[in-house]
Amino acid sequence: MSSEPPIDRDAVWHRLRELTDARKSIVPAWVEHKSDAGEVYFYNAETQASVWEKPAELQTAGEIVLAESTWKEYKDPEGRVYFHDATSGKTAWDPPESLLELKALIEEFNASRTDPNSAPVNGAAGRRAVSEDGSVNEESNASSATPTADRISRTSPERGEVLAKESTPAREPTEERQMDVFAIKDINGIDKKEAAEAFRKFLDEKNVPSNINWENCVKIIQSDKRFDVWKKFSDRKQAFNQYKIQKQKQEKEDQRKRQEKAREMFEKMLLATDKISYSTPYRDADRVFATDKVWRGVAERERESLYEDVMIVVEKREKEQAEKDRDESMEKLCDILNNLHEVNEEAVTRLTGVQALGLKEI
């Protein structure tokens, strides 16, 4: 990647200090919560809004400065990290030098703030303390309202726009609670289907892969205190095998959806671009879009075939447009010729009149 001009260290440092000082007087209304699945989301007790992305009020000075950078970090449909500059339109797989320099400067700034004291501030949702580096420590009151699923909204990282609140979020903070296994005297004394389902949810919560055996599964979950109860469950291995089957089905479905979305974006990109035409060979297009995240989002084994299919559509569209342009040109030419014909007739008429007048005078 081409080298970039260095960042203005003095300006960034001033911005970090300005944000840190400003945050000392902020009383944030947002409260951090965790769903039953352990996922973090944020709830505003005043507006009753809930979001997955960390609100600006809770962000540290460093997080805000990074958000203000033109370079942003994303993931493609296959989970690979890439970087995109919205201003220049550049995309890169490796972190740009300016972003690395910016992160290093933020770490240097945080290290320079040696005073660990924070100023406690009383808020509506509980006691809050804004620390020197701008971070927020929250102690929520037990009576703080917990948002319901229909009030959850989520933010798209690519477009930065908040989707409608009535839309279903990608993750539900109000998922069904896990079984309290510590309150059960005999895990084998309860309904086996209920116990098996609870154990599968436990495995899912621990994110146990679908392609491992029971011995390796135990290595993942044995550090959780709940496993002391679950290891006494007689049907645990059978439930584990059922979990693997369900997990594999879900992974295949998720992969199918990601591939479908990647293909859809791939087609839209090719139909909208002016960098190539339908006659451009695939190898040339591959060079043109070598660093394009949408291009690389489609697996290489199917990319060329999909490219050829889209080019058939592009060829048909371009030929139809050429035919339309040709028809319009012919209409314009006909209009010009008709106008010339009318001018010629008028000229002949005038000439005939002049000639007749001349004969009379003779």
Side-chain angles (χ1 to χ4, degrees):
M1 184 175 60
S2 59
S3 59
E4 297 178 308
I7 63 174
D8 188 337
R9 294 177 59 88
D10 291 338
V12 173
W13 194 274
H14 176 75
R15 177 63 173 156
L16 288 166
R17 187 168 53 197
E18 179 184 54
L19 288 168
T20 300
D21 292 341
R23 291 192 61 74
K24 294 179 182 179
S25 61
I26 292 178
V27 181
W30 292 94
V31 182
E32 180 179 313
H33 287 278
K34 278 191 177 181
S35 69
D36 293 335
E39 296 174 299
V40 174
Y41 66 98
F42 302 89
Y43 174 65
N44 190 312
E46 296 177 0
T47 64
Q48 297 185 339
S50 298
V51 295
W52 293 110
E53 302 297 329
K54 191 175 186 180
E57 290 181 33
L58 299 183
Q59 291 180 0
T60 65
E63 288 173 332
I64 294 175
V65 169
L66 281 176
E68 292 173 348
S69 170
T70 58
W71 282 101
K72 297 291 186 295
E73 182 178 313
Y74 300 108
K75 286 186 178 181
D76 67 9
E78 295 181 1
R80 296 173 296 183
V81 174
Y82 66 93
F83 302 87
H84 178 69
D85 188 329
T87 301
S88 65
K90 293 180 180 178
T91 302
W93 292 105
D94 298 322
E97 295 177 6
S98 60
L99 187 59
L100 292 174
E101 186 180 0
L102 181 60
K103 289 182 177 181
L105 185 56
I106 291 172
E107 291 181 3
E108 182 182 340
F109 175 83
N110 290 336
S112 72
R113 315 297 286 185
T114 56
D115 183 6
N117 296 326
S118 58
V121 183
N122 292 326
R127 294 190 304 147
R128 304 180 181 90
V130 183
S131 63
E132 189 69 9
D133 67 353
S135 61
V136 177
N137 297 322
E138 186 78 31
E139 292 183 18
S140 302
N141 292 332
S143 59
S144 296
T146 300
T148 56
D150 60 351
R151 291 206 292 262
I152 297 297
S153 62
R154 54 192 169 89
T155 303
S156 165
E158 292 187 335
R159 300 186 300 274
E161 54 192 31
V162 178
L163 303 182
K165 289 185 179 180
E166 59 269 17
S167 63
T168 303
R171 305 171 299 233
E172 293 285 353
T174 54
E175 292 175 358
E176 184 180 353
R177 292 185 178 276
Q178 286 278 7
M179 177 186 293
D180 184 4
V181 293
F182 298 113
I184 301 173
K185 294 182 179 179
D186 181 9
I187 193 66
N188 293 301
I190 66 173
D191 183 81
K192 288 191 176 296
K193 288 185 178 180
E194 182 182 355
E197 179 62 23
F199 184 62
R200 288 195 293 271
K201 287 182 179 180
F202 169 66
L203 296 175
D204 188 54
E205 179 189 329
K206 303 303 291 183
N207 198 27
V208 174
S210 63
N211 59 348
I212 64 173
N213 56 28
W214 172 249
E215 287 71 22
N216 288 326
C217 172
V218 171
K219 292 178 182 178
I220 295 174
I221 64 178
Q222 63 184 357
S223 60
D224 193 302
K225 291 294 185 182
R226 290 171 291 178
F227 183 61
D228 293 339
V229 178
W230 283 120
K231 66 183 179 182
K232 300 174 185 176
F233 180 43
S234 59
D235 290 344
R236 60 187 181 280
K237 290 187 178 180
Q238 181 180 348
F240 167 68
N241 290 328
Q242 291 174 346
Y243 162 81
K244 289 177 60 177
I245 293 173
Q246 292 178 356
K247 185 80 169 178
Q248 289 168 358
K249 288 182 179 179
Q250 185 61 48
E251 288 173 346
K252 288 180 180 179
E253 177 62 16
D254 291 343
Q255 178 67 12
R256 185 192 66 79
K257 289 181 178 179
R258 286 195 297 269
Q259 291 175 346
E260 183 178 330
K261 182 64 176 178
R263 286 192 292 268
E264 180 183 342
M265 294 173 63
F266 184 84
E267 292 176 2
K268 287 182 178 180
M269 182 269 289
L270 290 179
L271 291 172
T273 186
D274 58 357
K275 296 180 180 180
I276 60 172
S277 67
Y278 70 87
S279 59
T280 303
Y282 172 78
R283 61 181 181 276
D284 292 342
D286 192 41
R287 285 194 292 268
V288 172
F289 300 112
T291 60
D292 190 284
K293 60 183 179 65
V294 176
W295 178 269
R296 295 179 64 89
V298 176
E300 188 173 1
R301 61 181 178 274
E302 62 175 320
R303 189 189 302 147
E304 183 172 2
S305 175
L306 185 56
Y307 174 81
E308 298 297 341
D309 291 342
V310 177
M311 286 303 101
I312 293 175
V313 177
V314 173
E315 179 181 9
K316 180 180 179 181
R317 186 184 66 179
E318 290 186 5
K319 288 184 176 180
E320 288 177 349
Q321 184 61 44
E323 186 176 349
K324 181 180 179 181
D325 293 342
R326 189 164 50 250
D327 291 342
E328 290 178 354
S329 298
M330 287 298 296
E331 290 180 4
K332 292 179 180 179
L333 179 61
C334 289
D335 290 340
I336 293 174
L337 293 176
N338 287 335
N339 290 335
L340 288 175
H341 179 69
E342 292 175 0
V343 169
N344 289 337
E345 285 186 345
E346 184 178 353
V348 170
T349 301
R350 288 183 179 180
L351 179 60
T352 302
V354 171
Q355 290 176 339
L357 181 61
L359 291 173
K360 288 182 180 179
E361 291 177 353
I362 295 175

